[in-house]
Amino acid sequence: MTDVLRYTAFSTDPEGGNPAGVVLDATGLSDRDMLGIAAEVGYSETAFVFPHSEPDSFHVRYYSPQVEVPFCGHATVATAVAMERTGTLAFHTPAGEVVVETDGATATLTSVPTSAMPVSAEDLDTALQALGWEHDELDPRYPAHWAFGGARHLVLAARTRERLADLRYDFHGLADLLRLNGAVTAHLVYEREADVFDARDPFPVGGVVEDPATGAAAAAFGGYLRTIGKVRRPRTLTIHQGDDMGRPSVLSVAVRHNRDRVRVTGAAVRI
């Protein structure tokens, strides 16, 4: 029987953060096995760890209840803490190598190279229709983009916190748009103050209404800010996510103007 650990990431409270399943030894498991385990666990992602030939290195794959995803930040943080190690680890993921530094209670991942590109007018109209948002409810300082940080995300910024708080969307309509564009979540943000954002992440592609904390999207968002010229100096962002779901999460995101890799830090605790 496969041993599945349960951790929550980006929180020190088991009642907060984003829960992830962690299988520290997935040797012998097939794709079908892993998908079945992830569906049974029921969290937005479960991480599966395989041996690697190099020291302090591991192959890691991530499954939602419905699909495999190329990279998952919260499950990466959860896995690093679940390993009960300290130091620097290398996770070889379908998206590429992700370096993770951990002290046994928190973990900092360094993303693969990030990138971003504008959303077409047609796709933006489709996204807003699915979300039930109007064009004038978007923050004009943050243009809609597809952003990548190991997985692809739709980035939309709300003009008000009230707009972000009222999240009722067309599950299948948004899922179809994301799939057509090779994306996994919609990363919806609101700028609370300089370097502090609130975020919500619908994840219908994985069969999940909303993620309470999304490290991959946080990395992509950091790269997005760099792409649109809002990182002229090193910035450390604080992203609050999960508050509207009753699972408060805090993500720290370090972005540099001269580097396309983004560092995301958070705590994790066993559930």
Side-chain angles (χ1 to χ4, degrees):
M1 184 175 180
T2 303
D3 186 16
V4 183
L5 304 178
R6 288 165 170 79
Y7 276 72
T8 192
F10 298 112
S11 175
T12 57
D13 181 352
E15 299 299 320
N18 194 359
V22 179
V23 177
L24 291 178
D25 184 4
T27 303
L29 293 180
S30 67
D31 293 359
R32 183 175 179 178
D33 292 335
M34 289 185 282
L35 184 61
I37 291 168
E40 183 177 350
V41 171
Y43 296 153
S44 56
E45 273 93 8
T46 295
F48 296 86
V49 182
F50 296 83
H52 191 279
S53 58
E54 298 175 4
D56 298 320
S57 296
F58 306 88
H59 292 288
V60 184
R61 294 174 67 181
Y62 309 91
Y63 279 82
S64 77
Q66 291 190 0
V67 295
E68 182 177 13
V69 296
F71 176 66
C72 173
H74 85 275
T76 294
V77 169
T79 299
V81 172
M83 287 180 169
E84 298 183 341
R85 303 166 64 116
T86 59
T88 302
L89 311 173
F91 286 5
H92 297 266
T93 78
E97 182 179 344
V98 175
V99 174
V100 186
E101 301 158 59
T102 178
D103 61 9
T106 65
T108 297
L109 66 88
T110 299
S111 75
V112 299
T114 59
S115 60
M117 60 180 290
V119 173
S120 70
E122 180 181 359
D123 282 346
L124 179 56
D125 286 344
T126 302
L128 294 179
Q129 182 177 6
L131 290 167
W133 291 17
E134 301 294 338
H135 282 271
D136 62 6
E137 292 180 306
L138 296 174
D139 188 334
R141 298 173 298 171
Y142 297 98
H145 272 56
W146 298 107
F148 177 82
R152 203 176 196 209
H153 307 265
L154 172 64
V155 176
L156 296 176
R159 188 189 290 268
T160 66
R161 183 65 178 87
E162 290 74 21
R163 173 67 279 178
L164 187 68
D166 184 15
L167 182 60
R168 292 172 290 179
Y169 70 95
D170 177 351
F171 188 90
H172 297 292
L174 184 59
D176 289 344
L177 174 67
L178 295 175
R179 287 194 194 97
L180 284 171
N181 287 276
V184 293
T185 80
H187 191 56
L188 312 177
V189 300
Y190 166 74
E191 185 187 276
R192 185 187 296 190
E193 58 186 78
D195 295 335
V196 181
F197 292 82
D198 292 289
R200 302 189 73 173
D201 274 74
F203 183 29
V205 170
V208 177
V209 173
E210 183 179 357
D211 247 351
T214 318
F221 182 64
Y224 156 82
L225 292 177
R226 178 177 176 272
T227 295
I228 65 172
K230 293 190 179 293
V231 185
R232 296 184 175 88
R233 56 171 176 78
R235 292 183 68 180
T236 299
L237 315 173
T238 299
I239 298 178
H240 295 273
Q241 194 177 336
D243 291 354
D244 299 282
M245 302 174 63
R247 295 197 67 92
S249 310
V250 180
L251 302 83
S252 178
V253 182
V255 195
R256 294 185 176 273
H257 63 286
N258 58 352
R259 193 175 185 204
D260 59 3
R261 296 177 187 266
V262 174
R263 289 165 59 84
V264 179
T265 301
V269 63
R270 192 163 185 171
I271 299 173

